[in-house]
Amino acid sequence: MKIHISSKKQIIQVLMLFVVPLVLFLVGYNFYTMQAMNERVAESNRSTVYLYKSSLEKDLQDIDLFLANLVVGDTNFQRLRSPMDPLEAHLCSKQIINRYQEMIATKRIIGGMFLFTEPNGLHREAYGGSYTYTVKEQLRSYLEELTGSGEIDRSRWQIYSMGDEAFLLRILGSGGVYSVCAVDLNRSLRPQDSTDPQNGVLLYAAPDGQLLTSQEWAKQEEVQIQWTSDSFYQAGNGQYLAVQQYSEVAGVWFVYLTPYRDLLHHMDFAQLLLLMASIALLVLLPSVTIF
């Protein structure tokens, strides 16, 4: 039996042959474009992270060199290893504090520098930032206890976190005399310090993934650190594209987040208009066949 197909249905079938592949092509093409674009954005973000990481590592290495030269070559520091007249001990420590202040003036990331001398029963400190009495007292007490215990890791920077404050500590010295530098991670150069939010957000995290900075912001945005072999991942319920690098010098993770662009963001006006028209046509065609 010969089946008669109306001219209207023939036109619709021909349109379907063109429209359906077109829609699939547009979706597939833009999905590929989105993936390629995200890869390029991730690569750019990794370069940005590298710059910030290199800057911090350079500052830490400069501070390391300063502390090593002080501990080994400073006459006043050497004299404080033995009990002295209180006035002489005060004058020696004052000279060291002056050197601390000169160093702090050149490194904005330094939150504070500390001198502990057990043989002369004194400690001195100089700060590079404005901190509350509670923060100063807690940091000083922790360092005093740590240097007094003698259980000091002189081989690396150590993390000390208290609430919203996160420090990298470097302790050098021996014989009851120690020089300490506390680098404030919140004083380091970060993209969010600029006025343009599109510059992204740089977070610091401990080796176990615990966030050290911007904790309140990360909680509000539901940002969590992920361990993945992928070059990037989505964070904050898909709001951000995240890349991360680990610094062996600092002993922390650098996590950089920028706004994530979905499929529609990667389509220009003409592509978006064509896609919407094609989808609308697909929706309308079945209803046309009824009449």
Side-chain angles (χ1 to χ4, degrees):
M1 179 184 293
K2 187 176 180 179
I3 300 176
H4 175 71
I5 301 177
S6 67
S7 59
K8 182 188 293 186
K9 288 186 177 181
Q10 288 179 341
I11 293 173
I12 291 173
Q13 288 176 349
V14 171
L15 288 174
M16 291 286 285
L17 288 175
F18 284 99
V19 173
V20 173
L22 177 62
V23 171
L24 293 177
F25 170 76
L26 286 174
V27 172
Y29 173 76
N30 283 285
F31 179 78
Y32 169 79
T33 302
M34 179 186 69
Q35 289 296 106
M37 183 65 71
N38 286 334
E39 286 288 352
R40 288 196 291 270
V41 171
E43 182 63 31
S44 175
N45 289 355
R46 283 191 291 273
S47 298
T48 300
V49 173
Y50 177 78
L51 292 176
Y52 284 108
K53 183 167 75 77
S54 298
S55 176
L56 179 61
E57 289 178 345
K58 176 63 166 58
D59 284 337
L60 295 182
Q61 290 167 346
D62 289 344
I63 294 170
D64 258 340
L65 182 60
F66 170 83
L67 292 176
N69 289 335
L70 178 75
V71 170
V72 174
D74 188 274
T75 304
N76 293 302
F77 192 90
Q78 300 300 326
R79 293 181 64 192
L80 289 172
R81 295 183 185 277
S82 303
M84 303 170 61
D85 177 80
L87 179 58
E88 291 184 0
H90 169 75
L91 293 175
C92 286
S93 63
K94 182 65 170 61
Q95 293 298 317
I96 294 175
I97 290 297
N98 289 341
R99 293 193 62 182
Y100 282 173
Q101 291 171 337
E102 291 175 0
M103 188 62 179
I104 289 173
T106 65
K107 300 292 183 184
R108 68 185 298 269
I109 64 171
I110 296 178
M113 301 192 75
F114 304 82
L115 173 67
F116 295 94
T117 167
E118 183 181 346
N120 290 281
L122 59 81
H123 78 272
R124 296 288 184 268
E125 56 203 59
Y127 291 96
S130 298
Y131 301 102
T132 64
Y133 173 80
T134 302
V135 170
K136 289 181 178 180
E137 185 63 21
Q138 189 172 345
L139 180 58
R140 185 198 60 78
S141 298
Y142 173 77
L143 291 173
E144 191 171 32
E145 181 180 352
L146 185 62
T147 55
S149 68
E151 300 177 357
I152 301 170
D153 187 350
R154 300 177 181 82
S155 64
R156 61 183 179 87
W157 288 85
Q158 304 171 56
I159 298 172
Y160 179 64
S161 179
M162 46 180 173
D164 295 333
E165 302 290 347
F167 297 94
L168 295 179
L169 305 178
R170 192 72 167 99
I171 306 173
L172 290 182
S174 62
V177 184
Y178 299 95
S179 182
V180 184
C181 180
V183 166
D184 187 346
L185 291 177
N186 287 310
R187 290 173 60 84
S188 64
L189 187 64
R190 298 176 298 174
Q192 60 263 39
D193 295 331
S194 71
T195 56
D196 185 2
Q198 297 302 313
N199 286 337
V201 178
L202 180 65
L203 309 177
Y204 295 100
D208 61 0
Q210 179 184 355
L211 282 177
L212 300 172
T213 60
S214 303
Q215 297 172 354
E216 191 62 33
W217 178 86
K219 183 177 180 181
Q220 292 176 354
E221 298 295 319
E222 299 183 12
V223 171
Q224 294 183 338
I225 307 303
Q226 299 180 23
W227 308 121
T228 174
S229 59
D230 296 335
S231 58
F232 65 89
Y233 60 88
Q234 295 181 44
N237 292 325
Q239 297 182 79
Y240 300 97
L241 185 148
V243 299
Q244 56 199 35
Q245 292 182 21
Y246 184 73
S247 170
E248 295 289 347
V249 175
V252 297
W253 284 95
F254 288 68
V255 184
Y256 185 51
L257 302 103
T258 52
Y260 180 76
R261 302 302 184 188
D262 57 19
L263 180 63
L264 296 180
H265 280 92
H266 294 289
M267 300 178 68
D268 59 31
F269 178 76
Q271 290 176 323
L272 188 60
L273 183 62
L274 186 57
L275 178 62
M276 292 298 103
S278 301
I279 293 175
L281 188 58
L282 281 177
V283 173
L284 292 174
L285 282 178
S287 61
V288 173
T289 60
I290 298 175
F291 300 99

